[in-house]
Amino acid sequence: MNPLAQQLNNTLQEETPHVYAMLSTLGKQIYFPKEGILSQSAEAGSKAKKYNATIGIATEGKGPMHLSIIQDTLSAYQPKDLYPYAPPQGKPELRTAWRNKMLQENPSLEGKSFGNPMVTNALTHGLSIVADLFADTGDVVIYPDKNWENYELTFGIRRGAEIVNFPLYTADYKFNSEGLREAILAQQDKGKAIVVLNFPNNPTGYTPSIEDGNAIIAALQAGAEAGIKLVVVTDDAYFGLFFEDSLQESLFGKLAGLHPNILPIKVDGATKEEYVWGFRVGFITFASESAAALAALEQKALGIIRATISSCSHPSQTFVLHALNSPEFESQKLEKFNIMKGRANKVKSILDSGKYGDVWEYYPFNSGYFMCLKLNTVDADQLRVHLLDQYQIGTIALGQTDLRVAFSCIEEEYLQDLFDTIYQGVLDLQG
């Protein structure tokens, strides 16, 4: 094993032995090279005043070489903020700005010990870092039965983990915290599990109540007190889009410092929150009472980043930083929030009108981009295909009964027609 990896492992064993035991084989072996190209280039950046012949970029006129046909369309930005490589952990100013945003939006983080967010290539990349660091073949990953399909690829296919699902809802459509507790406590023989919490939920658009949030925390604490080491990931992709009474902040804050057997990891980003899907700017943040353990975990995450994508897009980070620092940021974000809330409320009023009889129910939704119909009379995929072929309408079928509708991408004035047409599609298939 590389001495740098062993040094990081020693730190984790001394500072947070429970966290060390959570690492995968790859997680124990990974490290960020101190004597590699990036570290030597960083050292040269501060000392090589005459000539700096280290990093693999081209320069011209004391700045990064670039094409005017590109720069002319980006003239509001300095070339130095666009063309050079960004640090593998992300642009420092952006990391600071995002951390301040997290503190502002998550009051329960006040006084808690957590690291500086590290920039990832959106949330999928952040989740894959978690999988690489903590999931080995046969390790258990727990998340609800209504989930984003990429979890299966990220944890199951890529890392060979065993997926354990529990029903998202109880019979009265509350969050099934007891199902979560049972799924966790069933892992006592293994002694370890990864838990993924995704609120607002994709595909249902559901965020639990504050009371249910407390029950989730209690379920996780029960598992930790039973001796199970828990890597708890809050997938906060749609954070902030809370339209009704529900949790209004990430559970990451309440998890930080909760129990030595719990390692909280927040995965979030500008992707959905700031409506910049193609920018691919995400973040991964660790929480630990030990500053040394945080530094070691971040070095291991850096090693994963260096070994896979090297670093994330510099222009995208610059654009997001510019937005976060803009005086118009909050007002423009509120404007878009109100549009999204209006669409969600409109969908709810349409579905509560009684117009569609007994052909479907809908799962509770109060946040995010989506909602899900539970079809009572036809197969979801047959309806999906029929809507495409006959009406040129796209939806997502999930299993036999569930049809996901993204109200995020339908103007409010067209939502009535959308659901009327889906209803007509059901009638067509019923004959």
Side-chain angles (χ1 to χ4, degrees), residues 27-135:
K28 290 173 181 172
Q29 293 175 339
I30 199 68
Y31 62 95
F32 184 71
K34 283 188 177 177
E35 302 302 326
I37 291 172
L38 292 184
S39 59
Q40 293 180 43
S41 296
E43 185 180 9
S46 61
K47 295 181 178 180
K49 303 300 183 184
K50 187 173 183 180
Y51 304 117
N52 185 359
T54 58
I55 197 91
I57 69 168
T59 61
E60 187 177 27
K62 298 184 179 181
M65 188 179 292
H66 56 272
L67 304 180
S68 61
I69 55 173
I70 295 176
Q71 182 60 31
D72 287 350
T73 67
L74 299 167
S75 57
Y77 299 94
Q78 294 294 318
K80 66 180 179 62
D81 292 321
L82 298 173
Y83 302 108
Y85 296 115
Q89 64 269 45
K91 201 173 174 78
E93 307 94 320
L94 176 61
R95 298 177 67 199
T96 299
W98 197 262
R99 193 178 200 276
N100 291 338
K101 176 178 175 292
M102 284 171 56
L103 282 166
Q104 180 182 349
E105 296 176 341
N106 296 275
S108 59
L109 277 175
E110 190 63 42
K112 301 293 182 69
S113 175
F114 64 101
N116 212 18
M118 302 171 67
V119 178
T120 61
N121 190 42
L123 283 87
T124 302
H125 181 217
L127 291 165
S128 75
I129 291 172
V130 174
D132 284 348
L133 287 178
F134 299 103

Side-chain angles (χ1 to χ4, degrees), residues 271-286:
T271 313
K272 308 292 198 307
E273 288 189 46
E274 272 65 74
Y275 314 104
V276 289
W277 311 275
F279 285 12
R280 314 307 294 150
V281 176
F283 299 88
I284 183 170
T285 309
F286 300 94

Side-chain angles (χ1 to χ4, degrees), residues 74-236:
L74 299 167
S75 57
Y77 299 94
Q78 294 294 318
K80 66 180 179 62
D81 292 321
L82 298 173
Y83 302 108
Y85 296 115
Q89 64 269 45
K91 201 173 174 78
E93 307 94 320
L94 176 61
R95 298 177 67 199
T96 299
W98 197 262
R99 193 178 200 276
N100 291 338
K101 176 178 175 292
M102 284 171 56
L103 282 166
Q104 180 182 349
E105 296 176 341
N106 296 275
S108 59
L109 277 175
E110 190 63 42
K112 301 293 182 69
S113 175
F114 64 101
N116 212 18
M118 302 171 67
V119 178
T120 61
N121 190 42
L123 283 87
T124 302
H125 181 217
L127 291 165
S128 75
I129 291 172
V130 174
D132 284 348
L133 287 178
F134 299 103
D136 268 328
T137 300
D139 282 345
V140 166
V141 181
I142 300 169
Y143 51 83
D145 58 348
K146 300 191 185 306
N147 56 70
W148 186 41
E149 63 184 15
N150 218 3
Y151 294 153
E152 170 69 24
L153 298 179
T154 302
F155 293 100
I157 303 301
R158 282 190 67 251
R159 298 297 300 160
E162 175 190 343
I163 306 301
V164 172
N165 293 146
F166 64 94
L168 173 64
Y169 296 109
T170 60
D172 58 351
Y173 288 116
K174 305 291 186 183
F175 182 84
N176 185 14
S177 55
E178 186 57 36
L180 172 62
R181 180 192 293 261
E182 290 172 2
I184 292 170
L185 292 177
Q187 312 314 318
Q188 282 187 273
D189 288 345
K190 287 182 176 286
K192 170 187 169 182
I194 298 169
V195 179
V196 181
L197 302 172
N198 170 221
F199 307 124
N201 174 266
N202 178 3
T204 65
Y206 174 72
T207 296
S209 66
I210 294 174
E211 180 183 0
D212 286 338
N214 291 334
I216 292 169
I217 297 297
L220 292 164
Q221 188 163 8
E225 290 173 351
I228 305 167
K229 296 173 180 63
L230 298 173
V231 179
V232 184
V233 187
T234 60
D235 175 353
D236 296 330

Side-chain angles (χ1 to χ4, degrees), residues 2 4-5 8 29-34 299-300 302-304:
N2 185 281
L4 291 175
L8 296 175
Q29 293 175 339
I30 199 68
Y31 62 95
F32 184 71
K34 283 188 177 177
Q299 284 293 305
K300 285 183 173 291
L302 266 183
I304 297 290

Side-chain angles (χ1 to χ4, degrees), residues 321-330 332:
L321 177 62
H322 172 75
L324 292 174
N325 289 337
S326 170
E328 292 85 27
F329 174 71
E330 293 296 340
Q332 290 192 12

